[in-house]
Amino acid sequence: MLPDSLKSWLIQWLEDHREFVVAVFCLPASLLFTVLMRFKAYVRWLTSDPQRHDSNVREIQQRVQQWNKLPPEDRRLLCTSRPNWLSLSTTFFQKHLHHQVPIPLYDILELNEADMTVRVEPMVTIGDITEYLIPRGYSLAVTIELTDATLGGLAFGTGMSTHSHKAGLYHETITSYEVVLADGSLVKATADNEYVDLFKTLPWCHGSLGFLVAMTIKIVKIKPYIKIKYIPVRGQKKYCDMLREFSGTYEKVPKEFPDYIEGTIYSKDEAVIMVGDYADYDPNIPVNSCSKWHKPWFYKHVETFLEKGESEELIPLRDYLLRHNRAIFWVVEDMLSFGNKTIFRYLFGWLLPPKPAFLKWTTTPGIRAYTFTKQVFQDIVLPIKELERQIEIASILFEKFPLLVYPCKIIDHGPSSGQLKRPDSKYLVPGTNYAMYNDLGVYGVPGKVKDKKPYNPVAAMRKMEDFTREVGGYSFLYADIFMTREEFEVMFDLSLYEEVRKKYKADGAFPHLYDKVKPELDVFAIGEENAIA
């Protein structure tokens, strides 16, 4: 046990030398962790057993049933035993106050080429599934760009990609969930069976309704490359209109939409729009394996087209899908200011990215407070017709560029259809049951912090959340939220969710959604401190 004085000194040193810690500890540890996980995956493959899934699920059921036999006063709320530092969420859920159940489910169970689906266990990662599907000529319909994201975490949270203007949010591609409920029973929820209410509320539930043990996800046929066109645009209205046009905001089928759409906004008046389609090899188009360790970070590569002008490339599909992985979009730049330097990329680029696990594992209370008050990590789903207002408000509140924009279809499933409120009719695409929204990604150190000016993160984010509620948008709940419970229930529709919690006895067994996703820090006390400062 370290003396308090030494412990305090060590914590302060870690906070003062964060860049050194990331470079010297997090990067090598990330590499060793990756090697270990690959070795464990190889051992699981060597010892593969058709009965392993069923056996593991029965063990989970038994643990829940044993919990039910405890005296009521001894029953702490249930959660998984997966450590916080392994999660991609920015929050630190207080698992030590809960009854933890191991979920050792890491396998891809079945590829059904006839139904165009894949059945997986929840701990399968984006890295695992892309390595498995792409050589077979398939991909998930929605593949987020970070290899460590788990498919189960995305299922109970959410996700979107540059294909979401066609496929919708990640949960729209899930055809069934297999869940262990609070009584220990195993059920399979689909859109057309007796558990349809559960099917509707499992997305965005963040593990507050049961334990996910398997799911079936839609896949799509692919080609080896994405032919991507980089379109530099000057003028805010021009690039906003272009994103709306390419995504089909105004018309259902005016033309064939590109398979992939992305906008990276470098200032209020400058952006690069990327549109891509599946393609075979073409010797007349240069190939860019953009995810190789020595390549410039993707957003830096994209920025060069503001000067070069419009251009095309072929990107191998897996490189494209994981193009933002090495720099975690542009977050790594604030951790390793030299990370995109040519000499670093060639000598040490193969160590990137630092695993979020080790970034969180080395997060002291002071560093957590720093990331909360001095950085912003937010993905917000907003109507794309309001894109100009989004950019204006985000630029005022955060003074942080680039901004990320992915168009995304939000489907109106009717009343009582889950936690997402129905899109306002004024945003619906004519002749359809969906509206075109977009993800607005804001990541990194706000301008006022960099300039050492007063900055109140709570006031800034609460203003952003006010705007989000005003236009009928949604905050991604992997990130810190700054809402009261009452405000949270304005942003999300919890009517069916509350019914389902009672019906399947999740009340008193699993934490409520709001309690599961709210920051462990006192948001409003921090806001008052920063206001005084």
Side-chain angles (χ1 to χ4, degrees):
M1 189 76 175
L2 290 174
D4 287 345
S5 58
L6 180 58
K7 185 177 180 181
S8 298
W9 175 86
L10 181 59
I11 289 173
Q12 188 62 50
W13 189 89
L14 288 171
E15 293 168 10
D16 293 341
H17 299 83
R18 184 64 167 162
E19 190 167 48
F20 177 83
V21 172
V22 171
V24 175
F25 171 73
C26 290
L27 290 182
S30 296
L31 176 66
L32 292 174
F33 185 73
T34 299
V35 171
L36 176 62
M37 295 305 290
R38 284 185 173 274
F39 177 73
K40 289 178 70 174
Y42 179 66
V43 171
R44 280 198 307 272
W45 177 76
L46 286 178
T47 59
S48 60
D49 178 1
Q51 303 303 315
R52 180 165 59 198
H53 173 74
D54 292 340
S55 175
N56 285 337
V57 171
R58 282 194 295 272
E59 174 66 21
I60 294 166
Q61 290 181 267
Q62 288 167 8
R63 287 178 180 271
V64 176
Q65 290 161 358
Q66 289 166 4
W67 173 85
N68 275 281
K69 294 176 182 177
L70 294 172
E73 62 273 14
D74 293 338
R75 287 186 215 153
R76 294 185 294 176
L77 297 178
L78 295 162
C79 71
T80 73
S81 64
R82 189 180 191 222
N84 269 315
W85 56 271
L86 279 175
S87 162
L88 294 185
S89 171
T90 61
T91 60
F92 285 75
F93 181 65
Q94 296 180 309
K95 292 197 172 195
H96 63 285
L97 302 177
H98 294 72
H99 186 99
Q100 299 177 42
V101 176
I103 310 290
L105 301 171
Y106 297 86
D107 292 337
I108 298 169
L109 300 172
E110 179 189 5
L111 174 64
N112 189 324
E113 295 178 272
D115 290 345
M116 291 293 289
T117 60
V118 62
R119 181 170 172 252
V120 299
E121 293 182 330
M123 301 303 295
V124 172
T125 67
I126 290 291
D128 297 332
I129 200 67
T130 52
E131 286 183 347
Y132 176 82
L133 287 177
I134 290 174
R136 292 167 170 81
Y138 301 103
S139 173
L140 297 181
V142 175
T143 304
I144 78 159
E145 296 82 357
L146 303 179
T147 57
D148 290 338
T150 63
L151 303 189
L154 292 169
F156 274 9
T158 193
M160 70 166 65
S161 75
T162 52
H163 190 64
S164 286
H165 63 294
K166 289 189 172 184
L169 289 168
Y170 178 80
H171 70 264
E172 300 287 1
T173 71
I174 299 174
T175 61
S176 71
Y177 302 86
E178 297 166 49
V179 183
V180 173
L181 299 176
D183 62 359
S185 61
L186 174 65
V187 303
K188 181 176 181 179
T190 71
D192 54 8
N193 73 0
E194 61 186 302
Y195 300 107
V196 60
D197 52 355
L198 192 60
F199 179 84
K200 291 177 179 180
T201 50
L202 286 171
W204 296 74
C205 81
H206 286 262
S208 62
L209 296 175
F211 291 121
L212 182 66
V213 295
M215 57 185 169
T216 302
I217 313 172
K218 296 176 186 176
I219 58 176
V220 294
K221 290 184 177 179
I222 59 171
K223 291 183 178 181
Y225 295 92
I226 296 295
K227 184 172 75 172
I228 188 165
K229 179 185 286 187
Y230 303 92
I231 309 171
V233 187
R234 287 178 169 82
Q236 187 182 92
K237 186 176 188 310
K238 186 176 179 182
Y239 68 68
C240 289
D241 283 345
M242 188 176 292
L243 282 164
R244 286 188 283 257
E245 179 186 351
F246 280 132
S247 61
T249 302
Y250 301 112
E251 299 177 75
K252 183 180 179 183
V253 192
K255 60 180 180 180
E256 187 63 28
F257 299 122
D259 291 319
Y260 293 90
I261 305 172
E262 175 176 4
T264 304
I265 300 170
Y266 291 94
S267 72
K268 281 191 191 181
D269 296 314
E270 290 185 315
V272 178
I273 309 302
M274 288 152 277
V275 292
D277 290 290
Y278 293 115
D280 293 309
Y281 176 70
D282 183 340
N284 298 312
I285 302 175
V287 174
N288 178 13
S289 298
C290 62
S291 292
K292 288 191 179 296
W293 83 95
H294 58 84
K295 291 282 190 172
W297 291 345
F298 187 70
Y299 79 98
K300 289 291 190 183
H301 171 65
V302 172
E303 189 174 16
T304 65
F305 293 100
L306 288 172
E307 299 302 325
K308 291 178 184 177
E310 187 172 312
S311 186
E312 283 188 339
E313 290 180 333
L314 290 176
I315 301 180
L317 182 63
R318 191 167 192 269
D319 283 70
Y320 174 78
L321 294 176
L322 302 178
R323 66 201 176 282
H324 289 302
N325 184 65
R326 284 184 301 132
I328 314 179
F329 295 93
W330 33 89
V331 170
V332 172
E333 184 176 30
D334 290 324
M335 301 174 188
L336 292 172
S337 57
F338 48 81
N340 194 48
K341 300 292 185 184
T342 303
I343 189 167
F344 181 86
R345 292 200 317 267
Y346 274 87
L347 292 179
F348 302 109
W350 48 276
L351 289 169
L352 291 173
K355 292 280 186 188
F358 290 101
L359 295 173
K360 291 183 75 173
W361 190 73
T362 57
T363 295
T364 66
I367 290 172
R368 169 60 173 141
Y370 175 85
T371 59
F372 188 86
T373 59
K374 307 296 185 186
Q375 297 180 3
V376 57
F377 302 99
Q378 291 288 331
D379 284 285
I380 309 163
V381 188
L382 297 157
I384 201 168
K385 286 184 179 179
E386 307 286 356
L387 185 53
E388 289 89 345
R389 291 180 66 198
Q390 298 173 35
I391 295 162
E392 182 66 22
I393 291 170
S395 65
I396 291 170
L397 295 177
F398 306 114
E399 298 179 16
K400 177 61 183 174
F401 290 94
L403 297 173
L404 185 78
V405 175
Y406 289 178
C408 177
K409 177 192 297 184
I410 299 292
I411 301 172
D412 183 353
H413 289 288
S416 296
S417 56
Q419 285 83 288
L420 291 193
K421 286 195 168 183
R422 302 171 68 181
D424 192 301
S425 59
K426 68 183 177 183
Y427 297 130
L428 292 176
V429 176
T432 76
N433 68 335
Y434 62 83
M436 197 57 65
Y437 279 47
N438 66 275
D439 172 31
L440 182 71
V442 189
Y443 320 118
V445 178
K448 283 184 174 146
V449 174
K450 285 190 174 181
D451 295 338
K452 302 188 184 307
K453 295 178 180 177
Y455 171 68
N456 187 328
V458 177
M461 269 310 303
R462 283 182 58 75
K463 287 177 182 175
M464 194 72 209
E465 289 173 342
D466 285 344
F467 170 68
T468 302
R469 286 190 295 273
E470 176 198 330
V471 297
Y474 329 101
S475 297
F476 273 28
L477 301 179
Y478 81 87
D480 290 314
I481 60 171
F482 298 75
M483 294 174 268
T484 65
R485 182 156 176 168
E486 291 73 22
E487 290 166 337
F488 184 82
E489 292 179 3
V490 171
M491 182 177 289
F492 295 96
D493 180 359
L494 300 189
S495 54
L496 181 61
Y497 170 82
E498 300 290 6
E499 292 175 15
V500 166
R501 273 181 66 82
K502 291 182 175 64
K503 178 178 176 180
Y504 296 103
K505 300 182 173 57
D507 261 347
F510 293 95
H512 189 276
L513 172 59
Y514 178 75
D515 296 323
K516 195 76 186 287
V517 300
K518 69 180 182 182
E520 77 285 0
L521 302 171
D522 187 337
V523 169
F524 300 104
I526 290 172
E528 289 175 8
E529 289 172 11
N530 279 269
I532 294 170

